[in-house]
Amino acid sequence: MKKEQTRLAFSSCVKNLATSKETEILVDNVNDMSAASEGCHLAAYNFDMYKSDRSKKPVMEFELMDKSSKTDWEDGFIMADCQNLARTLMEMPSNMLTPEKFVEEVVNVFEEFKNDPKVKLEIHIRDEDWLREQNMNALLAVAQGSVQKPRLLELHLSHPDADKSIQPLVFVGKGVTFDTGGISIKPSAKMGLMRGDMGGAACVAATALGVMRLNVPGRIICLMGLVENMPSGNACKPGDVVFSRSGLSIEIDNTDAEGRLVLADVLDYSQTFQPSAVLDAATLTGAMTVALGGAFTGAFCSTNKLFDMLRKSGAVTGDQVWRMPLATLYNDMVKDSLLADVTNSTKQKEAGSCTAAAFLSQFVKCDQWAHLDIASVMENTNHVKYMPNGMSGRPTRTLIQFCKQYFPEIK
Ligand code: BES
Ligand code: ZN
Ligand code: ZN
């Protein structure tokens, strides 16, 4: 059986067993126990944190018939469990998961690995004063409309056996804990989904966890820009101009195009680590759903090599990426501003995902860069048959798989 079929087959067993209230499940062996485990653990996930009857619900326990496949089963479990962490963070409502709370939740998850000899872990929590010292004025402009204070969360992971000649891989995540649109306010229908606008940050944190738990022998740094986008007397307004960390001035033509403002500063900061590659993940544009729907994450890559690695990773996990273009025409559209060097919303409204990527590219210096627009896969609405509907946590498994390929095992 192919991996994706295995995931599907095992997920339907789990679904059926859940209705029959079966809790102890004996699992027979198949050729890919890692995929089987992913199917089971992704299907069994259910977000019921705030339901009062949750303790009464039976928890499924899996037992293997053939213990020799324990390692594969466990690897698949870790992959699914990390994606499930991203799902939980994305589902959590914005009153429960403010930027400060996001930091607390993620730090708690990592706490138990602090004394693990197999990994060197460093955590930095940057507050508003630090952001100001760094001149992260684009990120701060988004945050200024909210009473919730912004944060930048940094996770630095380094395996003791990591090849020091390979510079770190840096992940950047959009962490807008709620996106109202700001003064350019969104319509209220489905606005509640914007609690998942920190999906990029969630996937990036979950990837770091996977890399650590699976002992991937590399060095990675995750940078998560955390803000809430609100309209208020303090909020930034269309037509405002800010000087970003890079020195480029930005016209904020639309306060709902806030993700790219946050990423502009964090991407610029990412370069201080002399990365070998930078990957950002962001629920950036609604246009991504128009282009690709829930089938793929849109991958804007500066090199064929980087895209190829992402494509291969997606083929393994089944959570696939589709290449999207970076082009001069889009760059020109972004630079067409009367007020500043660049605008966060172009005059022509076509190709919204491509102009967003072009905007980000103005702040990237590393020649190996990939921007993943995950807006289209933020919510599962029957796209992935082995997961119940809701916030998807995609493409966490693909990013972990990417790291496995990027830092090959030390033999
Ligand atoms: N967070 C949204 C994008 C989004 C929409 C993610 C739907 C997931 C589902 C983003 O901040 C946004 O509002 N983008 C605007 C940009 C526009 C104003 C240039 C959009 O896509 O409409
Ligand atoms: Zn927005
Ligand atoms: Zn947004």
Side-chain angles (χ1 to χ4, degrees):
M1 251 197 302
K2 296 242 173 71
K3 282 181 177 298
E4 202 66 347
Q5 287 167 326
T6 306
R7 290 181 191 105
L8 259 176
F10 277 78
S11 76
S12 28
C13 292
V14 163
K15 257 188 269 173
N16 289 333
L17 290 164
T19 47
S20 69
K21 309 252 178 330
E22 206 76 51
T23 55
E24 276 161 40
I25 298 158
L26 198 55
V27 186
D28 206 348
N29 228 30
V30 289
N31 65 351
D32 195 329
M33 285 307 271
S34 165
S37 179
E38 286 181 8
C40 288
H41 293 102
L42 289 170
Y45 177 85
N46 166 35
F47 183 80
D48 57 3
M49 228 170 169
Y50 307 115
K51 300 218 179 193
S52 34
D53 62 353
R54 74 185 184 284
S55 55
K56 294 190 204 112
K57 288 228 182 92
V59 180
M60 276 192 194
E61 273 168 37
F62 302 98
E63 200 195 320
L64 299 185
M65 276 174 89
D66 177 358
K67 300 280 185 291
S68 69
S69 46
K70 194 166 178 285
T71 316
D72 286 346
W73 178 266
E74 192 58 26
D75 280 2
F77 167 67
I78 293 173
M79 289 290 246
D81 198 43
C82 291
Q83 181 166 351
N84 290 345
L85 166 69
R87 287 161 96 179
T88 299
L89 292 169
M90 291 171 77
E91 284 297 5
M92 283 175 79
S94 69
N95 60 331
M96 303 289 187
L97 199 80
T98 58
E100 212 179 327
K101 275 294 279 187
F102 182 101
V103 170
E104 203 181 301
E105 291 285 332
V106 171
V107 169
N108 272 344
V109 170
F110 279 82
E111 201 67 16
E112 65 173 292
F113 297 93
K114 270 220 141 147
N115 300 319
D116 189 335
K118 288 199 296 288
V119 64
K120 200 170 143 267
L121 169 68
E122 237 180 77
I123 302 177
H124 299 286
I125 304 163
R126 312 297 192 183
D127 64 8
E128 204 181 1
D129 291 339
W130 184 90
L131 293 163
R132 204 158 275 129
E133 277 162 29
Q134 286 285 323
N135 267 318
M136 292 205 180
N137 300 317
L139 183 152
L140 287 165
V142 179
Q144 77 190 35
S146 172
V147 293
Q148 301 299 339
K149 296 293 171 215
R151 292 284 183 270
L152 186 118
L153 175 59
E154 291 184 24
L155 301 170
H156 297 232
L157 252 71
S158 142
H159 193 281
D161 303 331
D163 180 348
K164 299 284 185 302
S165 69
I166 307 177
Q167 283 296 108
L169 173 59
V170 178
F171 286 101
V172 170
K174 168 177 171 181
V176 177
T177 57
F178 198 80
D179 181 11
T180 62
I183 296 297
S184 317
I185 199 161
K186 286 179 181 297
S188 50
K190 290 200 177 173
M191 203 204 267
L193 286 175
M194 284 299 113
R195 69 182 185 282
D197 209 21
M198 28 51 72
C203 289
V204 158
T207 300
L209 184 66
V211 164
M212 196 164 65
R213 287 170 67 182
L214 292 168
N215 253 315
V216 179
R219 286 198 288 159
I220 69 164
I221 298 173
C222 295
L223 308 173
M224 289 149 274
L226 301 156
V227 296
E228 185 180 67
N229 187 22
M230 292 289 280
S232 81
N234 280 331
C236 64
K237 303 167 289 296
D240 285 2
V241 173
V242 289
F243 282 95
S244 68
R245 185 183 187 280
S246 77
L248 276 185
S249 59
I250 306 173
E251 174 189 356
I252 304 176
D253 176 62
N254 190 317
T255 66
D256 196 13
E258 84 300 337
R260 62 196 80 180
L261 298 174
V262 174
L263 292 179
D265 280 341
V266 185
L267 281 169
D268 184 62
Y269 174 59
S270 76
Q271 265 116 206
T272 61
F273 302 103
Q274 277 102 40
S276 54
V278 177
L279 264 76
D280 74 73
T283 48
L284 205 65
T285 62
M288 209 60 240
T289 308
V290 179
L292 300 180
F296 300 94
T297 288
F300 298 79
C301 301
S302 65
T303 64
N304 294 341
K305 184 179 150 203
L306 208 49
F307 173 70
D308 221 45
M309 288 184 79
L310 283 164
R311 189 188 52 75
K312 284 192 186 131
S313 309
V316 173
T317 62
D319 191 352
Q320 294 180 267
V321 304
W322 193 265
R323 192 164 191 181
M324 296 288 290
L326 293 163
T328 317
L329 178 68
Y330 306 129
N331 294 340
D332 294 343
M333 286 159 78
V334 158
K335 290 180 204 158
D336 185 11
S337 164
L338 278 177
L339 291 173
D341 298 328
V342 287
T343 171
N344 80 334
S345 162
T346 56
K347 289 195 187 79
Q348 285 161 283
K349 297 301 164 199
E350 62 200 41
S353 307
C354 305
T355 51
F359 178 92
L360 298 182
S361 75
Q362 306 303 309
F363 301 89
V364 176
K365 287 177 201 98
C366 181
D367 17 286
Q368 299 289 337
W369 167 59
H371 155 57
L372 303 176
D373 193 333
I374 61 171
S376 54
V377 298
M378 177 183 82
E379 192 198 8
N380 191 36
T381 48
N382 303 319
H383 308 117
V384 183
K385 308 285 186 239
Y386 44 83
M387 293 199 312
N389 284 347
M391 293 297 168
S392 74
R394 291 171 69 190
T396 299
R397 285 179 304 116
T398 302
L399 292 179
I400 301 173
Q401 183 62 32
F402 177 88
C403 293
K404 285 194 201 170
Q405 277 174 226
Y406 198 86
F407 302 108
E409 257 174 79
I410 297 159
K411 294 267 158 41

